[in-house]
């Protein structure tokens, strides 16, 4: 068991190393950072001097080693545009992104499961058909379009919700939260719906399909034959067995919700890490871009590792195969 | 009961309205100002780029400031003149000016700031490149000695902002942040200027709040009708415009071309349109022996003036204005905008579109079948820059110059232009000094780094260079203007650049404000007067 986890952890490290290498190498070609740091009329000699002091003239391998050594200590250097440590900028922006991703995931889970169960049980009802239509929209419309449509409806026409920003935030230690203020909650509604819509439709479709599958199995038939109440069959037996894959998917999707928050954050001017990343791309702020990619890589790898480990705990079949010599 | 309640409500509303009217003149006005990009620092000497200067100009002040129309008016200096020595300028400082921390402005502060602005780490030092030394004559007079005669020194001082010496020293910000040192100084996130607005709070990339400074010297002299500025960078075009339409911001400085008409039709909004002091043009690499992006090897068609003339003749500026710019541009025949010294309407003409003649010129030059070439443009810097690239490519195809449009972010584009790596490119040039010299020195002079730093065409002409040097030293206005005119005649003939148009700026705002377009797009809010309903 511990050998398995160790092996997985080593694999995770290898993946992180690769992500670091790719992000590092890619951004060396994203434009001249010196050009972005200084104004129009800095002389070539001064530009060379800045290049040299930033270490941009060192061999690639040296630059990469220096970068990895720093990253291991969560030191991603200084942002070229803001002149602040990247780690600090990310730390300031992280609460906004995590809060948005978490609320979006909860919305997706709650509504996705409810709608999925309903449309599995009442397959032919009008409401189930409506849910199917909504899920089609969620799957096929791109996030930025949904965001802009929501803004148009709720901000421009109805004037109910703010079209951008995070509203007022409350401070809990270094964490800032918009969950405790009215304007913060109002500002959270549209971005979280936009971000969660795709996950919601995914979960809804998954729950519906799994539920239909499970309802056909023998043990459900036995339960019915024993005369158990329909409610107990549906929710006690069928739904419970449906949820295992749903939780797996939802867990894995949490990573992509955080990563894909970039688009939602741009549309709603949500002051999170994704917006920081987009601004960094515009300004060729390599330290921020590289750190962000590393961070997203870390989140994905961590979640995958956690899911792998959870699997072995949840599913006894996996555990027994691990004990066998390969 | 119901009707009683209604009466009470009506009474309350009437009372509130009465209060509102009574309180009208003293009502505080907040301007929520959205722009696509934030300033990277509050340090006035850290970056000589538009988005930074825009914000720091509300907080700090120069000796001389430009109004919305580009005209220079006194700020911290009440008067200035060249002394009998043509190398020495004298500036009389304004009395009774205080910094936001209450300390009075002294000649020491001005000397300190000019020295700081000239230091190696400063990004505005190029504005002061002609300065030899700065000295104090008395507590309210300073003298600036230049290396050679510099007629444009006052023009260059309009973006050199004055800081408080004691404050900067006390906060360990004397050394300007140098990107290479990686250290953030106090002055990058905090400010103490003499300007109309003092910083209340700042969250980089999110929000900067500034409030009218009670002790501002200009009270009574300038309108100062805006009490508070909330500066909000919103990079996404759609989000920025929506925030304006839904009433969450009051003023949007960068309006995408495609939204202008829709905003003009909205009765709750006001749209101000005016030409900017910026030309947009195409540069051709005339100096390279061989064009990298062309399959034509061993010869450079752009080296032949006839080819360049043919290119100019094939471009239909009016069609670009109509179809790409949606009317929001002023077609141009010369790359100096009308606001700048040296512009004349005689220069601002271009040959009529004549495809047969253009093909004839190509044939004469030895390219009867035309040639293929890549046109490289930025895609995030100028109004519809990418569209222009595609439009021009289509037009050149008609004379057999098969043009492949290639677009890239300005971050990459500018580096390639400056290193003369491009064959054919789009560039824009804002004339910060409002004088042709700035165009000659940076776009036409042989690229030596300090001069000709943005000349990506490889154009190098000894006679032109010599004339530019003469111009830079000449203090007699009439002789200067004669040199400028002679240079433009010569350079227009060369067709190194093909002028397309001067860009227009569009400001959109709530009806409650009327902010005129600033010709450099650097609006200084102290000049904004009220428009109350």
């Amino acid at each position: 068991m511990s050998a398995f986890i160790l092996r997985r952890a080593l694999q995770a490290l290898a993946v992180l190393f690769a992500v670091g290498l790719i992000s590092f190498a890619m951004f060396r070609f994203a434009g001249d950072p010196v050009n972005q740091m200084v104004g129009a009329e800095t002389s070539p000699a001064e530009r060379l001097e800045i290049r040299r002091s930033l270490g941009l003239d060192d061999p690639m391998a040296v630059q990469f080693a220096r970068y990895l050594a720093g990253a291991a200590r969560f030191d991603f250097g200084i942002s070229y545009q803001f002149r602040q440590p990247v780690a600090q900028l990310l730390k300031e922006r992280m609460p906004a992104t995590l809060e948005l991703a978490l609320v979006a995931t909860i919305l997706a889970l709650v509504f996705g499961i409810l709608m999925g169960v309903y449309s599995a049980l009442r397959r032919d009802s009008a409401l189930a058909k409506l849910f199917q239509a909504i899920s089609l929209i969620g799957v096929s419309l791109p996030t930025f379009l949904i965001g802009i449509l929501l803004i148009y409806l709720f901000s421009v026409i109805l004037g109910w919700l703010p079209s951008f920003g995070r509203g007022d935030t409350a401070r809990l230690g270094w964490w800032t939260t918009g969950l405790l203020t009215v304007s913060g909650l109002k500002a959270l509604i549209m971005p979280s719906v936009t971000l969660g819509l795709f996950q919601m439709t995914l979960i809804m479709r998954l729950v519906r399909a799994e539920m239909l599958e499970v309802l056909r199995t023998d043990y459900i038939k036995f339960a019915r034959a024993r005369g158990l109440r329909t409610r107990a069959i549906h929710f006690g037996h069928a739904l419970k067995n449906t949820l295992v894959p749903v939780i797996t998917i939802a867990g894995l999707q949490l990573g992509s919700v955080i990563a894909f928050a970039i688009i939602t954050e741009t549309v709603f001017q949500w002051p999170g890490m994704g917006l920081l990343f987009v601004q960094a791309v515009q300004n060729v702020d390599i330290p921020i871009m590289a750190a962000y990619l590393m961070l997203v890589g870390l989140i994905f790898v961590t979640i995958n590792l956690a899911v792998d480990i959870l699997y072995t705990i949840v599913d006894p079949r996996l555990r027994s195969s691990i004990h066998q010599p390969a | 009961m119901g009707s009683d309640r209604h009466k009470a409500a009506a009474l309350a509303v009437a009372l509130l309205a009465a209060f509102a009217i009574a309180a009208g003149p003293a009502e505080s006005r907040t301007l929520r100002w959205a722009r696509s990009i934030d300033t990277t620092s509050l340090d006035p000497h850290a970056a000589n780029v538009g988005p930074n200067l825009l914000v720091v100009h509300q907080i700090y002040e120069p000796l001389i400031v430009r109004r919305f129309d580009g005209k220079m008016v006194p700020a911290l200096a009440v008067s200035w003149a060249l002394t009998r020595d043509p190398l020495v300028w004298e500036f009389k400082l304004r009395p009774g000016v205080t910094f936001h921390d209450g300390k009075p402005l002294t000649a020491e502060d001005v000397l300190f700031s000019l020295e700081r602005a000239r230091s190696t780490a400063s990004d505005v030092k190029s504005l002061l490149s002609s300065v030899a030394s700065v000295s104090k004559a008395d507590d309210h007079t300073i003298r600036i000695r230049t290396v050679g005669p510099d007629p444009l020194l006052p023009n260059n001082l309009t973006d050199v902002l004055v800081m408080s010496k004691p404050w900067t020293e006390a906060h360990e910000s004397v050394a300007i942040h140098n990107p290479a040192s990686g250290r953030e100084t106090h002055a990058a996130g905090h400010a103490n200027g003499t300007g109309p607005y003092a910083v209340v709070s700042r969250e980089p990339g999110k929000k900067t709040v500034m409030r009218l400074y009670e002790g501002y010297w200009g009270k009574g002299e300038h309108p100062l009708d805006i009490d508070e500025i909330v500066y909000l960078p919103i990079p996404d075009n759609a989000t920025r415009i929506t925030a304006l339409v839904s009433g969450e911001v009051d003023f949007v400085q960068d309006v995408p071309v495609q939204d202008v008409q829709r905003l003009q039709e909205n009765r709750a909004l006001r749209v101000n349109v005016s030409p900017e002091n910026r030309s947009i043009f195409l540069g051709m690499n005339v100096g390279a022996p061989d064009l990298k992006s062309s399959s034509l090897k061993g010869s450079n068609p752009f080296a032949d003036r006839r080819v360049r003339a043919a290119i100019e003749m094939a471009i239909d500026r009016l069609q670009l204005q109509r179809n790409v710019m949606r009317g929001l541009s002023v077609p141009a025949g010369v790359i100096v905008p009308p606001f700048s010294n040296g512009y004349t309407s005689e220069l601002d003409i271009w040959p009529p579109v004549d495809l047969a003649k253009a093909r004839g010129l190509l044939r004469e030059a030895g390219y009867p079948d035309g040639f293929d070439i890549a046109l490289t443009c930025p895609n995030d810097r100028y109004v519809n820059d990418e569209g222009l690239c595609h439009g021009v490519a289509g037009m050149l195809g008609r004379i057999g110059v098969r043009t492949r449009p290639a677009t890239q972010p300005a971050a990459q584009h500018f580096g390639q232009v400056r290193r003369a790596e491009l064959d054919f490119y789009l560039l824009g040039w804002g004339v910060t000094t409002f004088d042709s010299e700035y165009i000659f020195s940076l776009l036409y002079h042989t690229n030596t780094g300090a001069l000709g730093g943005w000349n990506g065409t490889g154009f190098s002409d000894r006679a032109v260079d010599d004339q530019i040097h003469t111009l830079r030293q000449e203090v007699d206005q009439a002789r200067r203007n004669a040199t400028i005119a002679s240079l433009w005649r010569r350079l227009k003939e060369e067709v190194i650049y093909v002028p397309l148009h001067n860009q227009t700026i569009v400001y959109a705002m709530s009806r409650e404000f009327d902010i005129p377009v600033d010709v450099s797009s650097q609006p200084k809010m102290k000049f904004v007067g009220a428009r109350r309903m």
Side-chain angles (χ1 to χ4, degrees):
Chain A
M1 182 70 183
S2 55
F4 168 76
I5 291 174
L6 191 69
R7 203 160 57 228
R8 284 291 169 156
L10 283 177
Q11 278 171 1
L13 273 181
V15 169
L16 272 184
F17 181 83
V19 169
L21 185 65
I22 291 168
S23 69
F24 176 82
M26 198 163 65
F27 293 142
R28 294 293 123 176
F29 303 103
D32 184 359
V34 177
N35 216 8
Q36 291 300 303
M37 274 184 284
V38 298
E41 293 163 35
T42 309
S43 76
E46 286 154 1
R47 281 163 192 272
L48 275 179
E49 175 57 30
I50 295 174
R51 282 192 73 79
R52 208 179 47 76
S53 54
L54 282 174
L56 291 173
D57 288 337
D58 293 340
M60 278 299 176
V62 175
Q63 290 190 46
F64 183 53
R66 189 165 52 216
Y67 174 68
L68 278 191
R73 299 191 308 268
F74 282 98
D75 172 10
F76 294 102
I78 304 279
S79 152
Y80 292 159
Q81 35 168 355
F82 296 115
R83 281 119 202 221
Q84 288 178 22
V86 172
Q88 185 196 329
L89 283 168
L90 284 175
K91 195 174 121 184
E92 278 168 15
R93 303 299 192 98
M94 195 182 284
T97 298
L98 291 187
E99 225 165 79
L100 176 64
L102 205 69
V103 172
T105 305
I106 291 171
L107 281 183
L109 270 177
V110 170
F111 287 98
I113 292 175
L114 286 180
M115 283 159 73
V117 169
Y118 184 86
S119 51
L121 295 180
R122 306 255 153 79
R123 242 190 306 173
D124 297 320
S125 72
L127 200 55
K129 295 219 165 82
L130 180 74
F131 288 163
Q132 284 289 90
I134 291 175
S135 80
L136 212 60
I137 293 172
V139 169
S140 51
L141 276 191
T143 317
F144 67 89
L145 193 62
I146 294 171
I148 288 171
L149 287 176
L150 285 178
I151 291 176
Y152 186 67
L153 184 62
F154 291 102
S155 302
V156 178
I157 295 184
L158 297 172
W160 291 350
L161 298 171
S163 66
F164 74 95
R166 207 184 162 200
D168 297 323
T169 51
R171 197 166 267 284
L172 305 171
W174 65 274
W175 187 274
T176 57
T177 179
L179 295 173
L180 298 176
T181 62
V182 177
S183 72
L185 285 173
K186 275 171 91 174
L188 192 57
I189 296 174
M190 288 200 293
S192 56
V193 168
T194 306
L195 185 61
L197 194 63
F198 180 79
Q199 321 297 332
M200 185 193 82
T201 53
L202 192 74
I203 290 169
M204 182 203 133
R205 286 169 162 253
L206 192 70
V207 168
R208 180 177 176 274
E210 286 284 326
M211 193 81 172
L212 289 175
E213 191 80 11
V214 170
L215 285 175
R216 276 199 295 271
T217 53
D218 288 343
Y219 64 88
I220 296 293
K221 284 182 192 152
F222 278 123
R224 278 195 219 284
R226 271 186 65 197
L228 289 184
R229 297 216 328 273
T230 328
R231 198 185 183 78
I233 297 170
H234 287 162
F235 297 100
H237 296 276
L239 182 61
K240 224 180 194 173
N241 281 297
T242 310
L243 285 185
V244 178
V246 170
I247 286 165
T248 315
I249 292 285
L252 286 177
Q253 288 284 331
L254 185 65
S256 52
V257 167
I258 294 171
F260 290 130
I262 290 180
I263 296 164
T264 308
E265 288 184 6
T266 309
V267 172
F268 290 97
Q269 186 62 22
W270 188 262
M273 296 186 294
L275 193 63
L276 188 70
F277 176 74
V278 170
Q279 286 167 347
V281 170
Q282 281 171 343
N283 291 302
V284 200
D285 197 338
I286 293 169
I288 291 187
M289 291 193 281
Y292 180 77
L293 279 208
M294 288 288 278
L295 195 69
V296 167
L298 182 70
I299 290 171
F300 266 94
V301 163
T302 312
I303 290 174
N304 272 310
L305 189 64
V307 168
D308 278 344
I309 294 170
L310 275 180
Y311 260 1
T312 62
I313 296 167
V314 169
D315 195 331
R317 285 168 298 181
L318 254 170
R319 210 169 349 181
S320 57
S321 72
I322 291 163
H323 284 298
Q324 284 160 11
Chain B
M1 274 308 269
S3 76
D4 275 358
R5 203 178 286 163
H6 278 234
K7 272 182 203 154
L11 190 66
V13 168
L15 272 175
L16 274 178
F19 273 122
I21 292 161
E27 150 202 32
S28 117
R29 279 160 64 96
T30 296
L31 178 75
R32 291 162 301 169
W33 175 0
R35 221 209 152 167
S36 59
I37 189 165
D38 196 13
T39 173
T40 54
S41 170
L42 290 181
D43 189 323
H45 306 141
N48 184 17
V49 293
N52 280 50
L53 291 175
L54 179 73
V55 174
V56 292
H57 255 295
Q58 317 300 334
I59 306 160
Y60 289 98
E61 288 181 303
L63 293 174
I64 307 162
V65 72
R66 283 189 193 278
R67 293 193 313 210
F68 275 81
D69 58 4
K71 194 173 176 302
M72 299 198 294
V73 294
L76 292 182
V78 281
S79 65
W80 56 94
L82 197 59
T83 60
R84 258 174 304 182
D85 182 348
L87 296 181
V88 178
W89 284 84
E90 191 172 273
F91 297 82
K92 290 270 176 222
L93 300 184
R94 184 180 296 278
V97 175
T98 56
F99 285 97
H100 298 156
D101 64 1
K103 290 218 173 65
L105 170 83
T106 66
E108 286 297 330
D109 295 312
V110 179
L111 294 190
F112 167 79
S113 301
L114 288 171
E115 289 302 344
R116 189 174 189 266
R118 289 173 66 203
S119 64
T120 324
S122 161
D123 197 47
V124 293
K125 62 176 174 293
S126 61
L127 298 173
L128 300 172
S129 60
S130 67
V131 174
S133 64
V134 192
S135 62
K136 166 171 115 166
D138 60 58
D139 278 351
H140 282 97
T141 312
I142 63 147
R143 295 213 176 106
I144 299 179
R145 174 176 287 275
T146 53
V147 182
D150 181 11
L152 292 180
L153 182 71
N155 300 40
N156 280 323
L157 288 174
T158 54
D159 280 333
V160 178
L161 303 171
V162 174
M163 300 174 80
S164 156
K165 184 181 182 194
W167 181 83
T168 313
E169 285 174 347
H171 291 91
E172 294 172 355
S173 300
V174 177
I176 300 167
H177 174 275
N178 178 346
S181 76
R183 198 167 52 84
E184 188 203 8
T185 64
H186 186 77
H190 306 80
N192 176 37
T194 60
Y197 297 96
V199 177
V200 178
S201 67
R202 169 162 167 83
E203 295 167 83
K206 273 157 76 177
K207 187 158 115 177
T208 304
V209 180
M210 293 167 263
R211 194 162 297 137
L212 191 61
Y213 169 46
E214 282 308 313
Y216 184 56
W217 61 265
K219 280 196 166 175
E221 188 168 331
H222 296 297
L224 293 168
D225 266 318
I226 292 164
D227 301 296
E228 190 184 47
I229 297 174
V230 181
Y231 186 78
L232 300 156
I234 306 182
D236 188 75
N237 283 339
T239 310
R240 193 165 60 252
I241 296 302
T242 312
L244 176 71
V245 173
S246 63
E248 290 161 86
V249 304
D250 304 304
F251 173 44
V252 168
Q253 203 184 333
D254 350 49
V255 180
V257 184
Q258 65 270 19
D259 289 316
V260 174
Q261 202 190 348
R262 190 164 61 89
L263 296 176
Q264 277 169 334
E265 285 162 5
N266 187 327
R267 301 177 56 125
L269 301 178
R270 179 193 312 281
V271 176
N272 287 337
V273 183
S274 176
E276 182 184 3
N277 190 21
R278 180 185 294 280
S279 312
I280 307 292
F281 49 86
L282 305 173
M284 290 170 280
N285 196 334
V286 299
D290 189 287
L291 296 182
K292 273 172 284 182
S293 68
S294 176
S295 56
L296 204 64
K297 290 299 162 203
S299 78
N300 177 356
F302 286 150
D304 192 316
R305 203 200 77 87
R306 286 169 296 193
V307 173
R308 307 199 294 267
I311 300 254
E312 172 154 49
M313 217 171 273
I315 291 174
D316 189 340
R317 293 167 168 84
L318 297 177
Q319 206 189 324
L320 286 178
Q321 183 206 25
R322 211 167 37 241
N323 296 340
V324 180
M325 305 303 290
R326 309 207 191 190
L328 293 170
S329 70
V330 183
V334 65
I335 61 171
V336 52
F339 303 100
S340 292
N341 183 33
Y343 171 89
T344 61
S345 50
E346 291 82 60
L347 283 172
D348 198 1
I349 49 165
W350 55 90
V353 181
D354 189 336
L355 300 182
K357 198 169 162 197
R359 279 192 216 101
L361 282 170
L362 281 180
R363 212 168 22 247
E364 268 177 52
Y367 303 97
D369 303 322
F371 54 92
D372 65 305
I373 188 82
L375 171 62
T376 316
C377 306
N379 54 15
D380 56 358
R381 183 65 185 85
Y382 310 114
V383 180
N384 258 8
D385 36 17
E386 193 164 4
L388 282 171
C389 208
H390 289 271
V392 166
M395 289 171 182
L396 295 182
R398 299 181 302 181
I399 59 164
V401 177
R402 296 172 296 280
T403 311
R404 296 185 305 280
T407 59
Q408 58 183 352
Q412 279 151 290
H413 190 72
F414 287 166
Q416 293 177 8
V417 168
R418 302 187 59 144
R419 292 190 298 271
E421 287 173 359
L422 299 172
D423 295 334
F424 193 22
Y425 58 88
L426 182 104
L427 192 67
W429 197 247
V431 191
T432 53
T433 62
F434 288 71
D435 189 277
S436 295
E437 181 272 328
Y438 189 72
I439 307 169
F440 298 142
S441 293
L442 286 152
L443 293 175
Y444 282 110
H445 192 281
T446 304
N447 194 335
T448 58
L451 286 179
W454 286 81
N455 176 2
T457 65
F459 176 71
S460 170
D461 185 298
R462 174 62 73 78
V464 169
D465 289 357
D466 285 346
Q467 261 192 307
I468 294 173
H469 287 289
T470 319
L471 179 66
R472 285 167 63 87
Q473 305 261 313
E474 182 60 71
V475 280
D476 182 83
Q477 199 57 40
R479 278 206 296 267
R480 274 196 94 240
N481 287 346
T483 313
I484 290 176
S486 122
L487 270 169
W488 273 127
R489 268 194 307 277
R490 164 79 206 283
L491 293 170
K492 189 167 163 57
E493 200 61 30
E494 287 280 353
V495 204
I496 304 300
Y497 296 104
V498 177
L500 297 179
H501 57 247
N502 296 319
Q503 201 160 281
T504 48
I505 309 178
V506 182
Y507 289 175
M509 65 209 85
S510 119
R511 276 249 151 229
E512 285 174 45
F513 292 90
D514 191 359
I515 299 165
V517 171
D518 182 282
V519 292
S520 320
S521 212
Q522 299 282 345
K524 281 122 199 153
M525 289 307 167
K526 72 171 181 177
F527 293 122
V528 173
R531 179 173 289 259
R532 301 197 193 282
M533 286 180 286

